[in-house]
């Protein structure tokens, strides 16, 4: 019962962070360029959220301090990969592979922190600081978080069907990441009413959806397809080996905390009245 409540508490925290993050993506659709963009504030909130999630996972023993070193190593490696390939090949970037693999093995809290902190560190290394940063951090964090929940469902299996499901997830994540970032930038970076594909204030949901669909198909679909295909190929080729290695770290560094079982008390021995006592 205690473990169930602990898991639900972690899930509730991640759900709350997701709801708050979605408000940042939906806000520009409602307010357009009037939506405030305090980059430092939003980025700081995402970082604090990631640290809080990790802290809760530590307190509930879903992570250990040694696994934090694994998290730091994955973030550093991933950020370095993005430094080498800043934009990637027509949208493909290798950074999502380690975010997905790490979340799949270590859990949703680890995955969220890995995605958010990787994008932050890579932005610092590549001078990629801008109004897009907190949105990139949130979207990448959700990619890792979703992989963590998928790992729970499949029990971190590396069987062919589990890897196949993870490949499908990586493919979908490649498109969803791009959709989320387009959802934010569309009302802010495209002049209002400048074309049939631009955001228009006061338009109904159907009109906005039609305009956004045209904008996405014209500007981002091909780019996101390369990202999705790259995720699929990396997971299919390298996924089993990397997941096996990360799971070895997890089993070695994560203690299984259990409630102590009280020892059964022995009944006091009874001495028969017929037994005589020594003089």
């Amino acid at each position: 019962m205690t473990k169930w409540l602990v898991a639900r508490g972690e899930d509730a925290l991640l759900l709350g962070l997701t709801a708050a993050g979605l408000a940042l993506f939906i806000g520009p659709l409602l307010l357009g360029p009037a939506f405030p963009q305090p980059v430092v504030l939003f980025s700081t909130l995402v970082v604090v959220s990631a640290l809080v999630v990790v802290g809760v996972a530590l307190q509930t023993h879903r992570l250990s301090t040694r696994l934090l070193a694994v998290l730091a190593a994955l973030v550093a490696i991933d950020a370095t990969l993005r430094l080498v390939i800043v934009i990637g090949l027509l949208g493909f970037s290798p950074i999502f592979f380690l975010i997905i693999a790490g979340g799949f093995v270590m859990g949703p809290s680890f995955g969220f922190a890995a995605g958010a902190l990787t994008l932050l560190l890579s932005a610092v290394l590549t001078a990629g600081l801008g109004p897009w940063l907190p949105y990139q951090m949130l979207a990448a964090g959700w990619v890792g978080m979703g992989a963590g929940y998928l790992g729970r469902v499949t029990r971190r299996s590396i069987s062919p069907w589990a890897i196949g499901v993870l490949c499908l997830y990586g493919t979908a994540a490649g498109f969803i990441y791009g959709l989320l970032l387009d959802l934010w930038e569309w009302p802010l970076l495209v002049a209002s009413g400048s074309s049939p594909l631009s955001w228009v204030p006061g338009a109904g949901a159907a009109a906005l959806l039609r305009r956004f669909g045209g904008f996405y198909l014209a500007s981002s679909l091909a780019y996101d397809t390369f990202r999705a295909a790259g995720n699929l190929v990396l997971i299919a080729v390298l996924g089993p080996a990397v997941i096996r290695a990360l799971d070895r770290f997890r089993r070695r560094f994560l203690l299984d905390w259990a409630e102590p079982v009280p020892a059964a008390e022995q009944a006091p021995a009874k001495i028969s009245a017929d037994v005589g006592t020594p003089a």
Side-chain angles (χ1 to χ4, degrees):
M1 184 64 178
T2 302
K3 289 185 176 181
W4 185 88
L5 291 175
V6 165
R8 299 294 77 76
E10 181 187 17
D11 294 340
L13 175 60
L14 289 171
L15 179 62
L17 293 176
T18 299
L22 285 175
L24 293 181
F25 284 92
I26 296 174
L29 286 177
L30 302 177
L31 302 177
F35 186 76
Q37 295 293 318
V39 178
V40 175
L41 175 60
F42 285 171
S43 300
T44 302
L45 289 176
V46 177
V47 172
V48 170
S49 299
L51 296 179
V52 168
V53 166
V54 170
V56 170
L58 285 172
Q59 290 298 316
T60 56
H61 307 297
R62 287 186 174 272
L63 288 178
S64 68
T65 52
R66 290 183 177 183
L67 286 181
L68 290 185
V70 177
L71 173 62
L74 286 181
V75 169
I77 293 171
D78 235 2
T80 303
L81 287 175
R82 200 179 187 211
L83 180 63
V84 175
I85 309 176
V86 178
I87 299 177
L89 177 61
L90 296 176
F92 163 69
S93 177
I95 66 169
F96 293 99
F97 169 65
L98 286 181
I99 293 172
I100 292 173
F104 184 80
V105 175
M106 304 296 183
S109 296
F110 185 101
F112 182 86
L117 297 179
T118 293
L119 268 293
L120 174 64
L121 181 58
S122 65
V124 172
L125 293 177
T126 60
L129 301 173
W132 53 82
L133 178 58
Y135 298 91
Q136 290 179 334
M137 293 167 64
L138 274 172
W142 289 334
V143 169
M145 183 183 75
Y149 283 114
L150 184 60
R152 282 188 187 177
V153 172
T154 61
R155 298 183 180 275
R156 300 179 296 277
S157 172
I158 56 173
S159 63
W161 75 268
I163 294 299
V165 172
L166 191 60
C167 285
L168 292 177
Y169 174 81
T171 302
F175 286 108
I176 294 172
Y177 177 85
L179 274 169
L180 284 172
L181 292 182
D182 280 354
L183 192 65
W184 158 76
E185 70 178 1
W186 178 51
L188 302 177
L189 301 184
V190 181
S192 174
S194 59
S195 77
L197 304 181
S198 62
W199 177 82
V200 176
L208 286 177
L209 181 61
R210 183 175 62 254
R211 285 172 170 266
F212 177 74
F215 169 78
Y216 178 77
L217 291 175
S219 63
S220 302
L221 178 61
Y223 192 83
D224 291 347
T225 299
F226 277 93
R227 181 190 299 114
N231 290 346
L232 186 151
V233 171
L234 286 178
I235 293 171
V237 175
L238 302 178
V242 173
I243 289 172
R244 189 182 297 112
L246 289 175
D247 193 49
R248 191 178 299 117
F249 280 113
R250 181 183 181 277
R251 287 184 281 106
R252 182 178 179 182
F253 292 155
L254 186 61
L255 296 177
D256 185 15
W257 292 80
E259 295 292 335
V261 179
E265 295 184 1
Q266 293 183 345
K270 294 183 178 180
I271 303 175
S272 174
D274 296 335
V275 179
T277 57

